[in-house]
Amino acid sequence: MIQRRTLLKSGAAVALGAPGLSGLAQQAVTLKFHTFMAPQSNVWLTMHKAWMEKVEKDSGGKIKFEGYPAMQLGGTPVQLYDQAKDGVVDIVWTLPGNTAGRFPRIEVFELPFVMNNAEATSRAYWEYVQTMAPDEFKDTQVLALHVHGPGMFHTKEKLIKSADDLRGLKVRGPTRQITKMLGYLGATPVGMPLPQIPDALSKGTIDGCVIPWEVVPSVKVHELTKFHSEFEPAGGALYTTTFVMAMNKAKYNSLSPELKKVIDANSGLATSGWLGKTQQGNDGIGRKSAVDRKNTIHTISAADAQEFKRKARLVEVEWIEDMNKRGFDGKKLMDTARALIDKHGKAGGAPAPAKKA
């Protein structure tokens, strides 16, 4: 019996050590991709699915995906990052800002009028995290970091032409810095995840929201509001939101070197820039949905944007103070983020404003 056990053990050891047999375990791996975006959204169709298809192709079919939009695997948008961290799913795409204050250093990109354009800002965001905040997402394998196109106002009953027009309006914001900004502009800020917007507008829980043009059709904002106020590019973007595409570390580490290379080749600076560029590139589709319904679209001029900038400036001041209290150099983080956006803008991240329909 002892001899038989020894033979079994040695046989198992040989099998595990044999290159051909160990390679069989990596012939194919299936990864679960989870997000809150709707299956009909531009983000899901032109970004998430396109990325998964490219990885599958680059891996020669050795990496396959099961895609789950609209929180189909359960939980809430707020729980997505931890689902990747804890291995409930393999890859998530989510807003770090869903968990207020958990990722404080990257909030610099969500401050009012910091954004230049989505591609350049996304590249800057990736480089900033590698150099200034390398431990911000330490619990996961970060694949990409990006932002969306210029955020703007969408309201049910009142057109926003000046900051004063926001007084008394309940306006949804996606993250703590943006809800702070709405408060300083005179609105009553209401924080909530994107999927809750349609119900909140229908029931009158909110009078309006701030989102980019791109996401308007997926949450029916063109149907639930009548007025849209965008900012002239020369005046800068009101705000943007940061996103992270993250993978469970243990799952990443379990991949063969060959498959890790495929994931790595579809991660990082270039992928982050592509995601930002693609998302802003879809702004024209969202804008057209409002035009087709004959909604009112107002463009806030660069001159009129100064009032918004002046009132929103306190958000930046408070963020720098908050960083200083946490032991970081807030001004250095701010200056670095702006310099990186400028650098990547000059390097070819050209603005991609929404096309006029």
Side-chain angles (χ1 to χ4, degrees):
M1 181 64 74
I2 293 172
Q3 186 179 10
R4 187 167 180 270
R5 282 179 182 167
T6 304
L7 286 170
L8 285 170
K9 284 182 179 178
S10 62
V14 169
L16 289 171
L21 292 173
S22 63
L24 285 174
Q26 282 292 323
Q27 280 301 307
V29 60
T30 300
L31 303 176
K32 293 179 179 178
F33 187 113
H34 200 206
T35 187
F36 62 86
M37 291 303 297
Q40 74 273 18
S41 66
N42 292 316
V43 169
W44 178 253
L45 296 173
T46 67
M47 294 161 60
H48 298 160
K49 285 193 72 175
W51 182 83
M52 287 185 273
E53 287 166 3
K54 185 173 186 300
V55 172
E56 288 183 346
K57 182 180 178 183
D58 290 354
S59 71
K62 290 184 180 179
I63 296 176
K64 298 185 183 299
F65 287 95
E66 291 178 2
Y68 297 95
M71 301 305 299
Q72 290 174 358
L73 290 179
T76 67
V78 174
Q79 297 168 331
L80 275 168
Y81 184 80
D82 283 329
Q83 287 185 353
K85 177 178 78 74
D86 298 335
V88 176
V89 300
D90 300 312
I91 298 175
V92 300
W93 181 91
T94 189
L95 282 76
N98 272 341
T99 47
R102 183 174 178 181
F103 308 99
R105 281 172 286 175
I106 64 162
E107 291 177 333
V108 65
F109 293 99
E110 298 180 349
L111 299 177
F113 298 99
V114 165
M115 178 197 180
N116 185 344
N117 65 83
E119 182 180 6
T121 306
S122 297
R123 286 173 170 266
Y125 175 19
W126 176 268
E127 185 174 343
Y128 171 94
V129 168
Q130 311 314 306
T131 56
M132 305 300 291
D135 58 339
E136 198 87 326
F137 299 107
K138 64 182 182 296
D139 296 323
T140 62
Q141 178 72 23
V142 176
L143 305 182
L145 302 164
H146 73 97
V147 301
H148 61 55
M152 48 175 290
F153 298 108
H154 309 268
T155 45
K156 290 171 69 174
E157 305 295 341
K158 187 177 182 183
L159 178 63
I160 307 303
K161 293 184 177 180
S162 68
D164 287 343
D165 292 331
L166 286 163
R167 284 181 186 168
L169 295 185
K170 294 172 289 187
V171 183
R172 173 267 181 182
T175 67
R176 71 171 186 154
Q177 298 304 330
I178 298 159
T179 53
K180 271 188 184 182
M181 175 192 74
L182 291 170
Y184 283 128
L185 292 177
T188 299
V190 182
M192 68 175 64
L194 182 76
Q196 294 179 18
I197 289 177
D199 189 57
L201 283 171
S202 297
K203 292 179 177 177
T205 307
I206 56 175
D207 301 304
C209 60
V210 288
I211 53 175
W213 274 123
E214 176 274 324
V215 80
V216 163
S218 68
V219 282
K220 302 187 187 309
V221 164
H222 59 306
E223 299 174 16
L224 296 167
T225 64
K226 301 174 186 173
F227 304 102
H228 313 271
S229 299
E230 59 189 5
F231 284 74
E232 183 183 10
L238 176 66
Y239 80 93
T240 190
T241 301
T242 58
F243 300 99
V244 57
M245 187 159 70
M247 184 172 182
N248 175 261
K249 269 194 170 182
K251 177 62 75 171
Y252 174 81
N253 290 331
S254 74
L255 298 177
S256 67
E258 174 195 5
L259 297 189
K260 276 183 185 173
K261 282 182 182 178
V262 175
I263 293 292
D264 292 346
N266 288 280
S267 304
L269 184 74
T271 299
S272 298
W274 171 76
L275 287 168
K277 182 179 182 180
T278 303
Q279 190 162 12
Q280 185 168 353
N282 287 324
D283 278 351
I285 299 171
R287 193 178 192 279
K288 186 176 185 300
S289 69
V291 170
D292 289 347
R293 286 186 67 87
K294 296 182 168 47
N295 290 359
T296 300
I297 299 175
H298 175 70
T299 300
I300 297 170
S301 69
D304 289 340
Q306 293 306 310
E307 178 195 10
F308 290 89
K309 288 183 179 180
R310 181 178 58 79
K311 290 189 172 185
R313 176 80 171 82
L314 277 173
V315 182
E316 182 179 314
V317 172
E318 287 184 357
W319 181 82
I320 290 174
E321 290 175 353
D322 181 30
M323 291 304 100
N324 292 341
K325 288 175 185 175
R326 291 172 184 256
F328 305 115
D329 185 336
K331 187 174 187 305
K332 183 179 180 182
L333 293 176
M334 180 83 248
D335 291 345
T336 300
R338 288 188 186 278
L340 287 172
I341 291 171
D342 186 55
K343 166 189 162 183
H344 288 287
K346 288 177 179 176
K355 293 178 182 177
K356 305 294 182 185

